[in-house]
Amino acid sequence: MSYVVGIESSCDDTSVAIIDLDGRLIANETIAQTKLHAAFGGVVPEVASRNHILNLQEIFIGLLARFSVELSQVVAVCATGGPGLLGGLIVGVMFAKGLALSLGVPFIAVNHLEAHLLSAKLEHGDFDFPFLGLLVSGGNTQIVIASGLGSYKLLGKTLDDAAGEAFDKTARMIGIEYPGGAKIDELAKMGRGRFKISIPMRGSKTLDMSFSGLKTNIRRLVEQELKNCSVLNEETVCDFAFGIQNSIATVLEDKMRGAIELYMSRFPDYRRVVTVCGGVGANSEVRKRIKSLCDEYGFSFVSPSPKYCADNAGMIALAGLLYFKRGFKSDIDFKPLSRWDVFQPNC
Ligand code: KG4
């Protein structure tokens, strides 16, 4: 048996995966640094890099032993090459290069955004190009037409905050610790539509989005509430969670409706498939809305389960495997890229 190793260290998750040449994920282990960064209200790059150094070797050696994988069975080593926090990327890329060099196998630098877009393939082997993708994470919000490996056209993007950032920043305003997205998802289930919360850029023709106005909207509403009490009560927090989630999900639903219509008119022969990926892709309301859009337009909804929406090395190993199978390898002097645009501007 031969295996490809994947390494992810672009933000605050240290993750290592082992995949076989048929795309079956053998192992995928992540050490999340969430607690370390929560005290700072966001990821501190230097703290993240130092912890990647501590975690990487431990996870890798542990996986080899637990899954009885010999180094001689590793035929390629892939790592996130960007975009992301440079310090963390350097740690992962240098580890991968060292391993690849010592084993005499190819090193492959993987684009993190491309890996997210392909992550549904980890659980759905028949998921293939072409497809329409919504990538929503803590740092990215993009709608993309994926025509083939390395061939992506950008239909729309956020003009300011990413959807995950909007969740996290507004969550903080209502007293939820960073990162607040998953907690908002949970609390929204107990909330009601009590607050009038804006739906940014609703009705505009562009597929671009904006989430920064939502912060001002929530800040004002919270200030108003706090005129009558010193802290928000549980019911109010749930009602805010409901409103925040409804606003973000409605923006994404509106824009994806436009994207689906554009996709059908420009590419009538393309497969009718939508994927939603990235951390916010785990959001129950976002998934529900996009799934029902898919039902309405006769598209299949093929998305990674929530555990593979978040940053993980499984998706890096998988994307690397697809390149490996095409005979691609990166230069050993590849330099990690904090910005790495893989999506071509509007088609
Ligand atoms: O893709 P990801 O793991 O990494 C980064 O982009 O860094 O996404 C993290 C983001 C955070 O903003 C987090 O709050 C958000 O995904 N997130 C969610 C949910 N789970 C994670 N947002 C809304 N609902 C969720 N269930």
Side-chain angles (χ1 to χ4, degrees), residues 76-323:
V77 187
C78 316
T80 304
L85 300 173
L86 205 50
L89 292 171
I90 291 172
V91 174
V93 164
M94 295 313 287
F95 186 95
K97 282 184 181 179
L99 185 60
L101 276 174
S102 71
L103 299 176
V105 301
F107 155 71
I108 299 173
V110 171
N111 182 290
H112 182 84
L113 308 183
E114 182 173 26
H116 265 306
L117 267 186
L118 300 173
S119 55
K121 205 170 171 59
L122 285 170
E123 297 159 291
H124 308 271
D126 56 350
F127 172 68
D128 210 342
F129 299 102
F131 61 84
L132 179 64
L134 171 63
L135 166 56
V136 267
S137 69
N140 294 279
T141 299
Q142 283 137 334
I143 302 175
V144 170
I145 292 181
S147 309
L149 196 61
S151 177
Y152 307 96
K153 297 246 190 277
L154 187 64
L155 294 188
K157 61 180 185 317
T158 180
L159 300 173
D160 37 58
D161 292 344
E165 229 176 323
F167 269 112
D168 296 340
K169 288 178 178 171
T170 52
R172 225 172 136 78
M173 291 174 193
I174 58 168
I176 298 172
E177 202 176 71
Y178 171 88
K183 192 74 186 167
I184 293 238
D185 195 350
E186 190 188 315
L187 297 179
K189 293 185 174 61
M190 295 172 284
R192 302 161 300 151
R194 170 154 66 111
F195 295 108
K196 209 170 156 32
I197 295 175
S198 63
I199 311 292
M201 288 177 79
R202 186 157 220 191
S204 76
K205 286 220 161 57
T206 162
L207 296 182
D208 287 337
M209 295 155 258
S210 162
F211 294 103
S212 65
L214 185 61
K215 286 182 299 193
T216 321
N217 193 181
I218 300 298
R219 187 177 300 114
R220 290 216 178 105
L221 287 168
V222 170
E223 278 164 10
Q224 235 160 20
E225 282 296 305
L226 290 176
K227 278 181 189 158
N228 309 318
C229 53
S230 55
V231 284
L232 301 178
N233 67 32
E234 235 177 274
E235 195 184 328
T236 304
V237 171
C238 292
D239 291 343
F240 268 117
F242 178 93
I244 291 166
Q245 179 170 278
N246 178 60
S247 170
I248 296 173
T250 306
V251 171
L252 297 175
E253 180 188 354
D254 270 9
K255 298 299 169 180
M256 280 305 282
R257 179 180 292 282
I260 286 178
E261 289 178 358
L262 190 82
Y263 182 88
M264 291 197 307
S265 71
R266 289 218 191 148
F267 303 98
D269 301 333
Y270 273 16
R271 292 151 65 103
R272 299 195 165 182
V273 178
V274 164
T275 190
V276 179
C277 54
V280 178
N283 184 271
S284 58
E285 185 64 19
V286 171
R287 290 175 87 89
K288 195 173 98 192
R289 303 271 193 110
I290 306 298
K291 165 83 175 69
S292 81
L293 258 187
C294 285
D295 292 344
E296 187 183 330
Y297 284 90
F299 275 59
S300 315
F301 178 77
V302 188
S303 275
S305 53
K307 68 177 173 186
Y308 294 123
C309 283
D311 286 350
N312 68 90
M315 66 183 195
I316 303 301
L318 177 89
L321 170 66
L322 298 179
Y323 277 98

Side-chain angles (χ1 to χ4, degrees), residues 14-95:
T14 321
S15 187
V16 181
I18 299 173
I19 201 166
D20 73 15
L21 298 191
D22 292 323
R24 275 186 299 258
L25 198 57
I26 307 300
N28 185 29
E29 192 172 303
T30 302
I31 298 185
Q33 301 179 21
T34 321
K35 287 209 174 95
L36 281 177
H37 299 277
F40 302 99
V43 177
V44 182
E46 178 67 18
V47 174
S49 319
R50 285 169 188 249
N51 281 281
H52 288 313
I53 294 173
L54 298 176
N55 297 339
L56 250 185
Q57 185 164 321
E58 182 190 321
I59 304 178
F60 179 66
I61 305 283
L63 287 188
L64 290 181
R66 278 201 351 254
F67 293 90
S68 307
V69 171
E70 301 286 335
L71 282 174
S72 58
Q73 293 175 293
V74 174
V75 293
V77 187
C78 316
T80 304
L85 300 173
L86 205 50
L89 292 171
I90 291 172
V91 174
V93 164
M94 295 313 287
F95 186 95

